[in-house]
Amino acid sequence: MTSHAFVEFFNVSKSYDGQTFSVLDFSLSVERGEFVTLLGPSGSGKTTCLKMLAGFEEPSSGEIWLNSRPVNQVKPWKRNIGVVFQHYALFPHMTIGENLAFPLQARRLPRDDITRSVMRALDMVQLRDFAERRPAQLSGGQQQRVAIARALVFEPDLVLMDEPLGALDRRLREEMQYEIRRLQQRLEVTMIYVTHDQGEAMVLSDRVAVMEQGRICQVASPEALYEEPQRLFVANFIGENNQVEGRIVNHDPDECQVEVAGQIIRAFPVAIDENDSHTCLTIRPERVALNPPPDLYPNCFEAEVEDIIFMGDHLRIHAALLGRSQFIVKIPNVIGHGGILPGDTVTLGWLVTDCRALDLKQASPQPINRNTTVNTNLGSEQLL
């Protein structure tokens, strides 16, 4: 087995009882200097993957490589990995400078080198003047910056972040997202980030690995995940989608015709089962046109407006369409939008390429259980 990526998971699984798996056959490559986010709901296995990479948990099977060497048997403190947690984990009895100096002292660096490294790290997060304060004297955002600085102070090969912004309010969380991304790009450090917030993943990442029940559903850039989801779970988890189930009556590689309530919707076939005529169509609310000119869109249907919700920069229109309620349309909040009222009949239209046909069965994966106990005694050379 060889690896050329900076971080590599080879078919890694984790079970605490040998039967039920929190992670199953997880494989992922991360290049040096890349920012990759593990995104998924609670219980999807993303934090477990991070803990195994950090050395806090041992894989039940499979191997993890770092910088072209296996690290399954390497102690956490020998992996040269910085870790940032959601709850900061700062020592309350130490000053900020002492918190940052701690990992350097553990590595027995000379005192002058420690001082220089601490001040350089504080400069990175713009907290040089706070070196003599204690964590309790700092705001939540400042404490999180200290936690990030501590993870970077010893110049690690890799930085792992586990929901680091979850305790912050929305405005501060958005500010810290850009701060983290700026630091990562400037330092060119490799980062693997864990979150359940899809907006956060979109802002920060070069690539996002969407996880469900211990497995990766899709790995791609934020734009590709949003525009080209390959599974129904990804389409639902990244952004917002209208879902319309129907029966495929005809298809070729570029287009399929799907019958819904006696009418035909033309869609782009992304992942359809050749042995099953049922599919789920997904249409982004912002890709639906309201009262478009005649013949402009291949899909045009009458709908009844159920509700209009003011969202500031846009309006959400809820409509009944093809026998289904709560079909959502987003339109910009511009002058002239007020001509539509609940109860009005409108026309909704969209392109074939904005209507994606996906496999219904992929929406509900089976629980990840095995009937055999896996081998937890993996042999691999140690990274010295």
Side-chain angles (χ1 to χ4, degrees):
M1 184 183 295
T2 60
S3 172
H4 300 291
F6 186 62
V7 177
E8 188 89 7
F9 288 81
F10 292 101
N11 303 112
V12 171
S13 297
K14 178 62 179 178
S15 174
Y16 294 94
D17 60 8
Q19 298 294 323
T20 302
F21 286 77
S22 54
V23 175
L24 183 62
D25 296 331
F26 181 91
S27 294
L28 178 68
S29 298
V30 179
E31 299 299 326
R32 185 182 293 274
E34 192 176 20
F35 196 124
V36 172
T37 294
L38 306 183
L39 173 67
S42 298
S44 59
K46 54 191 187 296
T47 295
T48 301
C49 291
L50 209 70
K51 288 181 177 179
M52 289 190 289
L53 178 55
F56 304 147
E57 297 281 359
E58 183 179 348
S60 301
S61 63
E63 285 197 341
I64 299 172
W65 287 43
L66 178 60
N67 201 14
S68 301
R69 304 287 294 277
V71 294
N72 282 46
Q73 306 302 319
V74 178
K75 299 299 183 183
W77 58 87
K78 291 186 176 181
R79 299 190 186 195
N80 199 35
I81 295 175
V83 183
V84 181
F85 299 99
Q86 178 176 348
H87 298 295
Y88 317 140
L90 301 176
F91 297 115
H93 62 287
M94 292 183 179
T95 66
I96 300 308
E98 290 168 344
N99 266 277
L100 267 63
F102 182 80
L104 302 175
Q105 292 167 344
R107 289 164 171 78
R108 301 184 183 279
L109 268 65
R111 179 176 300 176
D112 289 345
D113 291 349
I114 290 175
T115 300
R116 282 194 296 269
S117 296
V118 167
M119 299 314 295
R120 184 169 59 246
L122 288 174
D123 283 339
M124 288 181 197
V125 295
Q126 302 173 16
L127 289 175
R128 172 180 278 266
D129 295 336
F130 292 75
E132 299 303 318
R133 299 191 188 184
R134 297 187 186 277
Q137 296 174 291
L138 273 59
S139 68
Q142 290 169 336
Q143 289 185 49
Q144 190 56 272
R145 289 187 182 191
V146 173
I148 292 170
R150 189 176 61 181
L152 295 170
V153 71
F154 57 92
E155 299 181 4
D157 296 324
L158 173 68
V159 174
L160 310 180
M161 295 193 176
D162 186 9
E163 303 272 9
L165 309 182
L168 305 180
D169 62 58
R170 180 179 176 180
R171 184 185 62 81
L172 189 53
R173 188 164 64 246
E174 290 175 352
E175 290 179 1
M176 287 302 303
Q177 288 170 15
Y178 291 108
E179 185 71 18
I180 290 171
R181 184 60 171 159
R182 182 188 64 81
L183 278 171
Q184 188 270 336
Q185 291 177 334
R186 182 160 67 87
L187 300 174
E188 298 182 342
V189 65
T190 309
M191 284 194 181
I192 300 180
Y193 194 97
V194 160
T195 185
H196 64 273
D197 186 322
Q198 51 111 345
E200 194 165 278
M202 301 283 274
V203 169
L204 290 169
S205 315
D206 296 315
R207 289 189 300 146
V208 180
V210 181
M211 296 185 64
E212 182 189 23
Q213 295 191 6
R215 299 184 180 97
I216 290 181
C217 295
Q218 186 177 349
V219 185
S221 68
E223 182 179 359
L225 285 175
Y226 189 86
E227 300 291 352
E228 302 172 6
Q230 300 298 308
R231 295 172 59 99
L232 191 55
F233 177 82
V234 177
N236 292 337
F237 201 78
I238 303 292
E240 189 173 27
N241 258 308
N242 292 297
Q243 294 183 28
V244 180
E245 295 183 20
R247 181 176 65 88
I248 300 172
V249 296
N250 189 25
H251 75 86
D252 58 41
D254 298 318
E255 183 178 313
C256 61
Q257 289 79 47
V258 179
E259 182 184 9
V260 178
Q263 299 202 55
I264 297 297
I265 298 179
R266 296 166 61 184
F268 180 71
V270 176
I272 58 176
D273 188 343
E274 298 287 344
N275 300 313
D276 188 355
S277 63
H278 292 87
T279 187
C280 185
L281 305 178
T282 63
I283 309 108
R284 298 283 185 193
E286 71 274 13
R287 300 296 170 82
V288 180
L290 179 67
N291 292 328
D295 302 323
L296 183 60
Y297 290 93
N299 294 301
C300 268
F301 306 95
E302 283 193 350
E304 181 181 346
V305 176
E306 298 174 314
D307 197 8
I308 301 173
I309 301 174
F310 179 77
M311 299 295 293
D313 62 343
H314 71 276
L315 301 179
R316 287 171 60 94
I317 298 175
H318 292 212
L321 175 79
L322 299 174
R324 291 161 170 77
S325 63
Q326 297 300 307
F327 189 93
I328 300 172
V329 183
K330 291 182 181 178
I331 63 172
N333 179 16
V334 295
I335 295 174
H337 65 69
I340 302 168
L341 298 172
D344 286 352
T345 298
V346 296
T347 300
L348 303 181
W350 57 85
L351 298 172
V352 172
T353 51
D354 287 331
C355 181
R356 307 178 71 80
L358 297 168
D359 186 357
L360 265 171
K361 294 189 293 297
Q362 291 182 338
S364 303
Q366 296 299 312
I368 49 176
N369 296 321
R370 281 182 179 167
N371 295 321
T372 57
T373 303
V374 296
N375 176 23
T376 59
N377 298 315
L378 298 174
S380 65
E381 66 185 84
Q382 289 198 4
L383 175 60
L384 302 176

